[in-house]
Amino acid sequence: MDLFLAQLLNGCALGALYGLFGIGFGLVFATMGILNAAQGAYASWAAIIAMYAIELAGLPFPLAALAGIAAGGAVAVLVDQLGFEPLRRFGPGNHQAAMLGALITSIAFWIMLDSAAGLMTGQQSLAFPPGSYPATVFQIGPLLLPAMQAVSLLALAVVGGGMHWLNTRTRFGAAMRAVGWDPVAAALGGVNSRVIVVATAGLAGGISGLAGILAGISTANISAGLGQGLMLKGFAAVVVGGYDDIRGTAIAGLLLGVLEVFCAQYLSSSWRDAFAYALLLGFLMLRPRGLFGGGGFTRA
Amino acid sequence: MLSISQLKASYGAITAVRGIDIEVPRGTLVALLGANGAGKSTTLRAVAGIHRPITGSIRLDGAEISRLKLHQVVRRGLAFVPEGRMVVAPLSVEENLTLSSYAGRGDQAALLARVYALFPRLAERRKQTAGLMSGGEQQMLAIGRALMTAPAMLVLDEPSMGLAPAIVDVVFDAIAALHRQGQSILLVEQNAAIALGVCDFAYVMKRGEIVASGKPETLRDSAEIAEAYLG
Amino acid sequence: MSDLLEDLWAAYASTLGFAMVNAFFALATYATLSAGILSFAAVTYGAAGGFLGAQLLLNTTLPLPLIFLASALAGLVMAMIVAALFLRLESHWMALSSLALVLITRVVVLNTPGLTGGVNGLSLPAPLSMIWLVALLALAVFGFWLLDRSWYGIAAKSVREDPSVAACLGIDPRRIQLIAMAVSGLAGGLGGVLMAMMLQFVSPDTFFIHVAFTMIAGVVLGGSHHWFGPVLGAAVFTALPTVMQAVVPDLQDIANGAALLLIMIFLPRGLLDPRAIRLRRAAK
Amino acid sequence: MTFRSTLAALALAAGFAAPALALDAGTYKVGFVTDNTGPLAFAGTSFTRGAELAAEQISGGGYMAVGAKIELVQKEGAGDAARSIQSYNQLIADRNVIATACCILSPIAGAIKPIALNNKVPLVIYGATAPGLPSLPFVYSVTGLPGPAEVAMSKHIAEVAKPKTVAYFVLSDNEAFQGRFKASQAAMEAAGAKTLGVVSVLSADTDFTAAATQAIALKPDLMMVYTTQSPAAGIIAAVRARGWAGLMSANDAISPLAVFKKIGPPLAGVPFPVNFSADASETPKAKGFIEAYTAKFGAAPDLYSAQGYTAIWLIAQGLKSLPGKPSREALATALNKITELEHDVYGGLPMTNGQAGTRYTLFLNWTPDGKIAAWKP
């Protein structure tokens, strides 16, 4: 029973990272209709920058994390404005062409950013200097809760809750959804879609960056490949949760994490990913709108 | 209020608007009539900043707006109700309306009250998802959204299109009411009869040119109207 | 002089070979894209053809043409399964599902070592002769050219532009897309066995996400509105790393990405764009 | 060139005991497929640097013959089979390339091997460890097969620490590590240490909290880690972070300094078997290598650097024994005759049927301050 609870906690902490990354990934997909292959690189970059902020600039952990998040956001904005903005002149009338073009430019950025990240880390897998981040382990009854697991869970709760509130309760959220639906329709209300798009890209990059930093600490692995693992599972979380549903993504992320850990503990670690992806496929087939099933509008 | 002069616009090699002049004085309701493909919608898209014109000037209260983008035009005080409504389907009625706070024009609460007074139907369905409403309700919402930006100039593109006759009456009653309150309006309409019933002045377009203009009572039975629609 | 030519051939024959093999995957991707479906599933068809072909090569004495045929059919069967499952989904979800399928393919390949050799893959001491490759590619390209000129080609174009308009013209979009997926499966399955023979081994990594991404990129790069675009795009995409290695060895990956980005921004319809060609002809 | 041959003629005339037939002065190209980018770059860069240093020392030191040099021609394989094959083909298309070296991953080595055999080019494999890769007279491996070192360490641990129960971490999708694990497990069981459980992890895994929890719950006397570098580091860090202080052992993957930099003190006291370490290898040749490497690259060599270095020295030893301007086939035949490497950093490297063996295994561990020292329980 203790083992079950301990693994449940481990699964949730792992899933929190998937959910967090997925929220960033889903934001870009829901708002801009872009399947962004470069999203994983934002996580790698944020983790690398945060690590160097501690190692070279000597910043304390919270500031370094902020620097990493800002870097993730900045890279995301850069990718958006250099890689996606030129393609938006296709206009809303030609969605498939625009989506396809953006997928390709995002692949181009993925190649470039990953390769540059490899140069920044000297092709090594690095880690935050020991002792530079909270490393206490809390004892809760029979359970051990390392501080970073608590931070991951907290981050998912805060970011997930905050983004859900922002998306559904604020005028910025409404503007984001409006731009995602149709930039011209949003502009009819006076919304400058370019500002919203840049802000959304930055937000998405920052959130994925935060996921990257937390993953980099809890796995003691900061490298160019950090983001790719997050991306595959984050992508699954987005689809299972419903791509425009932040609550759904967060919960689906937790679910995937728990599923993964339980499969490894009780079934077979080699079929572990098969369960995750089979769940993903099942949702695509049976509940393509995700856990909570959103409205169901097709774009024009 | 709005003055368009020597406006020329094209799609690639096809010239859709060939140098037209239109004047909408303050407080008037001016109609732009013509058959399908006459160039009316292109003219409006140019005015709204969605389609970039080749030459010509578009002035709002004396200020040039022909090089502005749609959201900038809206923020200057020209609101646009496009053909096909273009409401934001996944948003609720009220969210669609309050998007306009981005235009930064006027007291939002007062504007919202005014829109709900004009269209009580919208007030009833304020939490309703816009995409699930009927065409007539969506048209009301599109007009409401335009009004939420406290426009100096309201531009409507084919507001009667695809609506049941009873709803068309409701929409045009509202347009007439706005006109009475002193709202400057440019109305593009295929249904000449109904447009001529509410406007102060009308232009008739054919193949990208203005072929006639005048007061509704003089145009109503003119040969130009008949020819513009038939030929 | 002939020595020089011989050396050049020795150095770049394998690049040319991979370019031609990649052309099959690009054509498989193009087949669905030209009917309006963004699908990454060509990788899965490739895995079906590749592993089946490898097993036949290792355990039977079947003549090569039969092995090629069997592999193409394996791709076709896989494509029909995918069609049955995914074709009813709308385009966004179709793209996501096919991506999920690529992930699942890898897990299945890893965990069925009896069929696929598992993580170690299968070694194939059966080098592929260039003549076969050229002949099969010529055949495939000829097939696509024929399709493009047939009623199917016209119907596919209209489905891609607007399925509802196509439906009004009496074209059943589902039927067109089903044919598109069948063609994709055949090309992908054949590409799979050719890739296995070219590499002389197959492993789970042979058919994974990077193949999906590079092939989509190859198609769009070459031109997704013309049957020869994918072949051209695959060639450029295969040769690019080799060229970049010679020019900027330290930054070759960054240079690859930058080249892809620039082409997409300045030639968004790809290197080979029938519309631009028509316009240029019209201008003359 | 003429100056050098004149010198050689003079030397002969002066009656020096020069070999009657010697390798021609000149440059001998060695093709080297690098993995400096891609998933294996962390090790790939070390292999390349070791090889570069070897080529430089051989060329400068007149090891083979006066004026004979080795030029390393590098092409990137990026850990990708298709790219490695293309690079390899480009390398051997140059007729002046007399020998080649490649490959960290066994499947890629397996794909390159037939090309070397078909083209009759000597190929020295520097990283991949799948059994059966060497194929005389063309394909050689300078990396010892997995197993013997792990067995030796297992016996040593069983003797000094006397664990009764063991839990193993194994990379289930890597055959080489499966092999190491099985050999070690057999040795431990023979010594009476029961297997409590095997925790499987995958190469691509990064989060080991759950795996650590699973192993700790088994309450073993000893945990043995048979995975590649990143998972091994992650597993040890995760187990220690959860407060388990019992005995853990690992393998040579954790010997590079980068691993200690990453994990820090939790790595201390974990024994691993290795045949080369910059801190512990003490033969004169090893010391010379470590000194020259540190001077050239500003960092100490790791086991990968040593393997890259060894690969090139093996080729040089083959060339040295040949007269005139040898062909690829002649070099292959010469390599075939080598039974012991002359210039090795391991304190002895026997070659049997093209496969390098190990004569000495060091049992080392990290100290809490980041030094490598002999392991004492």
Side-chain angles (χ1 to χ4, degrees):
Chain A
M1 192 60 198
D2 286 355
L3 182 61
F4 177 84
L5 287 177
Q7 294 293 40
L8 184 67
L9 191 61
N10 286 335
C12 285
L14 179 62
L17 299 176
Y18 298 158
L20 208 51
F21 182 88
I23 289 172
F25 188 79
L27 207 52
V28 175
F29 192 67
T31 310
M32 305 175 213
I34 292 171
L35 194 55
N36 184 10
Q39 192 85 18
Y42 306 163
S44 311
W45 273 63
I48 291 168
I49 300 280
M51 184 194 65
Y52 282 128
I54 290 179
E55 221 162 60
L56 302 180
L59 292 186
F61 177 70
L63 280 184
L66 274 183
I69 293 169
V75 174
V77 169
L78 199 75
V79 170
D80 185 90
Q81 291 300 296
L82 289 179
F84 304 156
E85 187 63 29
L87 302 174
R88 294 201 174 102
R89 63 189 139 88
F90 279 118
N94 202 344
H95 251 297
Q96 204 208 7
M99 181 182 170
L100 196 58
L103 174 65
I104 308 299
T105 50
S106 78
I107 293 172
F109 271 104
W110 178 28
I111 298 173
M112 288 191 281
L113 289 172
D114 264 16
S115 159
L119 294 178
M120 281 196 290
T121 55
Q123 311 293 353
Q124 298 290 322
S125 156
L126 307 173
F128 279 90
S132 64
Y133 52 87
T136 357
V137 180
F138 304 110
Q139 179 97 35
I140 308 167
L143 291 181
L144 292 174
L145 177 64
M148 284 318 296
Q149 288 196 343
V151 171
S152 300
L153 288 166
L154 199 67
L156 179 70
V158 169
V159 172
M163 284 305 297
H164 185 68
W165 173 79
L166 187 75
N167 203 32
T168 56
R169 297 270 178 277
T170 67
R171 60 194 199 105
F172 177 75
M176 256 188 337
R177 285 182 291 146
V179 170
W181 171 255
D182 183 350
V184 176
L188 287 169
V191 176
N192 182 354
S193 60
R194 190 161 179 180
V195 170
I196 301 290
V197 160
V198 167
T200 309
L203 207 53
I207 293 172
S208 292
L210 174 61
I213 294 168
L214 295 176
I217 295 173
S218 59
T219 64
N221 169 36
I222 292 179
S223 66
L226 166 69
Q228 204 177 331
L230 276 176
M231 191 153 88
L232 296 182
K233 295 288 164 52
F235 161 71
V238 169
V239 174
V240 172
Y243 73 80
D244 49 1
D245 185 338
I246 288 156
R247 270 175 316 164
T249 304
I251 291 171
L254 291 176
L255 201 67
L256 282 169
V258 171
L259 186 78
E260 191 176 320
V261 167
F262 278 178
C263 278
Q265 170 77 46
Y266 297 110
L267 295 166
S268 140
S269 68
S270 46
W271 280 97
R272 189 190 65 198
D273 285 355
F275 282 99
Y277 297 136
L279 184 76
L280 167 64
L281 204 60
F283 264 86
L284 280 164
M285 309 275 61
L286 305 172
R287 260 192 97 75
R289 297 276 158 212
L291 278 174
F292 296 110
F297 295 103
T298 319
R299 273 168 206 258
Chain B
M1 187 76 238
L2 179 71
S3 89
I4 302 170
S5 63
Q6 285 307 306
L7 183 74
K8 233 187 229 178
S10 68
Y11 292 100
I14 304 142
T15 309
V17 178
R18 308 161 182 270
I20 60 166
D21 300 288
I22 291 174
E23 200 70 40
V24 185
R26 188 179 299 275
T28 58
L29 196 169
V30 173
L32 179 58
L33 308 174
N36 220 350
K40 310 180 304 276
S41 282
T42 308
T43 307
L44 285 203
R45 290 169 67 83
V47 168
I50 300 172
H51 188 85
R52 180 81 60 234
I54 304 169
T55 57
S57 120
I58 303 166
R59 289 171 181 278
L60 181 67
D61 249 349
E64 184 65 44
I65 59 164
S66 65
R67 297 286 144 191
L68 299 183
K69 294 204 177 85
L70 174 57
H71 70 271
Q72 293 168 319
V73 170
V74 171
R75 289 174 185 189
R76 288 287 180 88
L78 185 144
F80 184 49
V81 180
E83 187 182 331
R85 275 87 71 177
M86 294 182 85
V87 299
V88 184
L91 265 56
S92 72
V93 167
E94 194 148 306
E95 281 174 328
N96 262 286
L97 292 172
T98 51
L99 262 190
S100 60
S101 59
Y102 275 87
R105 296 176 61 84
D107 172 9
Q108 292 295 298
L111 286 167
L112 194 61
R114 181 179 165 221
V115 169
Y116 283 154
L118 187 64
F119 298 114
R121 190 100 185 100
L122 293 182
E124 286 164 28
R125 321 201 66 177
R126 65 177 75 189
K127 296 288 172 209
Q128 170 81 43
T129 307
L132 298 178
M133 298 200 303
S134 72
E137 288 164 339
Q138 290 193 13
Q139 186 65 60
M140 292 174 203
L141 180 56
I143 296 173
R145 172 177 59 192
L147 294 175
M148 287 296 293
T149 62
M153 180 77 223
L154 179 62
V155 178
L156 299 139
D157 195 359
E158 307 276 4
S160 74
M161 189 186 261
L163 300 185
I167 308 289
V168 172
D169 289 343
V170 175
V171 169
F172 272 83
D173 284 349
I175 294 172
L178 287 169
H179 178 216
R180 280 195 301 279
Q181 290 163 20
Q183 176 72 54
S184 316
I185 299 173
L186 173 60
L187 168 70
V188 161
E189 195 42 79
Q190 214 171 240
N191 185 337
I194 193 165
L196 290 173
V198 292
C199 71
D200 300 316
F201 195 86
Y203 294 87
V204 181
M205 254 184 119
K206 189 183 172 188
R207 290 198 201 102
E209 285 167 351
I210 303 283
V211 291
S213 63
K215 300 246 175 216
E217 46 276 25
T218 58
L219 279 176
R220 194 162 286 145
D221 303 309
S222 72
E224 283 90 350
I225 284 268
E227 201 220 351
Y229 279 87
L230 298 174
Chain C
M1 189 62 206
S2 78
D3 268 11
L4 182 70
L5 283 178
E6 213 173 284
D7 286 356
L8 267 178
W9 174 249
Y12 295 105
S14 63
T15 304
L16 189 65
F18 280 112
M20 287 195 277
V21 171
N22 283 336
F24 282 90
F25 288 112
L27 282 169
T29 310
Y30 164 80
T32 46
L33 199 59
S34 62
I37 307 169
L38 173 57
S39 162
F40 301 94
V43 179
T44 304
Y45 313 150
F51 285 105
L52 179 78
Q55 290 290 4
L56 291 178
L57 279 166
L58 287 172
N59 300 319
T60 68
T61 50
L62 286 179
L64 268 186
L66 275 184
I67 289 177
F68 292 143
L69 185 66
S71 303
L73 289 177
L76 175 71
V77 169
M78 193 57 88
M80 289 302 97
I81 296 171
V82 171
L85 289 172
F86 292 172
L87 212 46
R88 59 203 171 81
L89 298 173
E90 66 180 79
S91 63
H92 264 65
W93 299 112
M94 174 75 206
L96 294 181
S97 305
S98 66
L99 203 51
L101 188 72
V102 174
L103 303 180
I104 291 170
T105 302
R106 183 186 154 87
V107 181
V108 171
V109 168
L110 269 173
N111 287 291
T112 48
L115 297 172
T116 64
V119 62
N120 297 307
L122 299 168
S123 276
L124 284 181
L128 179 62
S129 94
M130 201 56 108
I131 295 162
W132 265 117
L133 198 50
V134 171
L136 287 171
L137 185 60
L139 190 70
V141 167
F142 180 66
F144 274 88
W145 178 74
L146 279 183
L147 275 179
D148 189 62
R149 296 168 64 96
S150 68
W151 67 269
Y152 164 80
I154 297 158
K157 273 185 203 100
S158 65
V159 170
R160 180 183 191 171
E161 288 309 320
D162 193 334
S164 47
V165 171
C168 293
L169 296 172
I171 298 164
D172 176 6
R174 288 280 170 263
R175 186 158 157 244
I176 295 299
Q177 294 183 333
L178 190 70
I179 298 175
M181 293 189 73
V183 173
S184 176
L186 286 170
L190 193 53
V193 69
L194 294 174
M195 179 60 96
M197 293 177 74
M198 193 68 205
L199 288 170
Q200 300 199 32
F201 96 111
V202 261
S203 79
D205 284 335
T206 313
F207 306 103
F208 197 42
I209 216 155
H210 59 280
V211 181
F213 279 143
T214 48
M215 283 316 104
I216 276 275
V219 174
V220 178
L221 179 73
S224 60
H225 293 267
H226 192 282
W227 50 269
F228 198 67
V231 180
L232 186 66
V236 172
F237 224 89
T238 313
L240 203 59
T242 307
V243 173
M244 289 302 174
Q245 168 147 325
V247 185
V248 276
D250 295 330
L251 297 171
Q252 49 171 319
D253 285 331
I254 294 182
N256 286 341
L260 181 57
L261 182 67
L262 291 176
I263 294 174
M264 268 321 292
I265 288 175
F266 292 105
L267 289 171
R269 287 173 63 90
L271 297 169
L272 194 68
D273 177 10
R275 196 173 65 178
I277 295 168
R278 272 200 306 276
L279 285 176
R280 225 170 295 139
R281 271 199 203 129
K284 268 179 199 164
Chain D
M1 210 63 102
T2 42
F3 174 72
R4 297 219 181 235
S5 32
T6 324
L7 249 181
L10 275 175
L12 266 178
F16 279 110
L21 293 164
L23 190 67
D24 275 0
T27 301
Y28 295 86
K29 286 188 180 176
V30 172
F32 194 89
V33 179
T34 56
D35 280 333
N36 290 340
T37 62
L40 303 162
F42 71 92
T45 45
S46 286
F47 283 111
T48 310
R49 287 172 164 192
E52 281 172 354
L53 177 65
E56 190 182 293
Q57 288 183 340
I58 294 162
S59 303
Y63 169 76
M64 299 184 296
V66 177
K69 293 177 188 309
I70 277 187
E71 182 193 334
L72 208 59
V73 191
Q74 303 180 18
K75 290 249 180 223
E76 181 64 19
D80 173 75
R83 272 181 75 180
S84 298
I85 290 175
Q86 290 179 53
S87 290
Y88 191 77
N89 276 308
Q90 287 165 28
L91 285 171
I92 61 173
D94 180 347
R95 284 150 196 259
N96 292 320
V97 166
I98 191 158
T100 54
C102 90
C103 304
I104 304 175
L105 283 178
S106 299
I108 298 182
I112 300 265
K113 178 176 148 178
I115 308 179
L117 291 176
N118 286 339
N119 289 282
K120 300 193 186 334
V121 190
L123 166 67
V124 179
I125 292 166
Y126 58 69
T129 55
L133 277 178
S135 178
L136 295 179
F138 289 104
V139 184
Y140 299 83
S141 169
V142 291
T143 306
L145 290 177
E150 282 72 17
V151 169
M153 181 182 72
S154 301
K155 285 181 179 157
H156 185 61
I157 292 178
E159 208 169 285
V160 293
K162 300 190 175 50
K164 290 198 177 50
T165 54
V166 191
Y168 300 88
F169 290 94
V170 184
L171 211 53
S172 64
D173 57 354
N174 183 313
E175 200 181 27
F177 279 95
Q178 289 277 353
R180 294 186 191 206
F181 151 66
K182 280 176 189 148
S184 168
Q185 188 190 29
M188 291 310 289
E189 290 193 338
K194 216 174 73 186
T195 303
L196 279 187
V198 179
V199 180
S200 293
V201 296
L202 302 174
S203 303
D205 283 359
T206 51
D207 186 284
F208 301 101
T209 335
T213 307
Q214 197 176 343
I216 293 170
L218 296 170
K219 301 196 172 63
D221 292 343
L222 166 69
M223 291 188 193
M224 304 187 93
V225 182
Y226 290 109
T227 72
T228 47
Q229 183 171 319
S230 248
I235 286 168
I236 295 169
V239 168
R240 294 299 187 221
R242 298 191 78 80
W244 198 78
L247 181 59
M248 292 185 86
S249 78
N251 62 82
D252 58 10
I254 68 163
S255 71
L257 183 63
V259 183
F260 186 84
K261 272 200 187 142
K262 211 168 102 159
I263 306 301
L267 210 55
V270 177
F272 53 86
V274 71
N275 54 11
F276 172 80
S277 156
D279 290 302
S281 289
E282 284 176 334
T283 65
K285 283 188 182 115
K287 283 202 173 301
F289 165 58
I290 295 161
E291 212 167 278
Y293 188 96
T294 313
K296 187 170 163 72
F297 298 111
D302 55 23
L303 75 164
Y304 309 123
S305 322
Q307 285 164 15
Y309 185 77
T310 306
I312 305 303
W313 274 103
L314 177 70
I315 293 170
Q317 189 174 336
L319 277 172
K320 182 188 175 185
S321 65
L322 295 169
K325 206 157 176 56
S327 65
R328 290 168 172 178
E329 281 94 336
L331 175 57
T333 319
L335 287 171
N336 199 359
K337 290 185 189 131
I338 297 176
T339 53
E340 181 77 40
L341 194 69
E342 281 178 9
H343 189 102
D344 80 289
V345 295
Y346 302 109
L349 190 78
M351 296 289 298
T352 331
N353 294 327
Q355 171 66 56
T358 26
R359 192 159 292 151
Y360 300 103
T361 300
L362 306 160
F363 303 121
L364 306 176
N365 69 166
W366 288 97
T367 60
D369 56 349
K371 298 270 180 301
I372 281 191
W375 175 67
K376 294 200 182 56

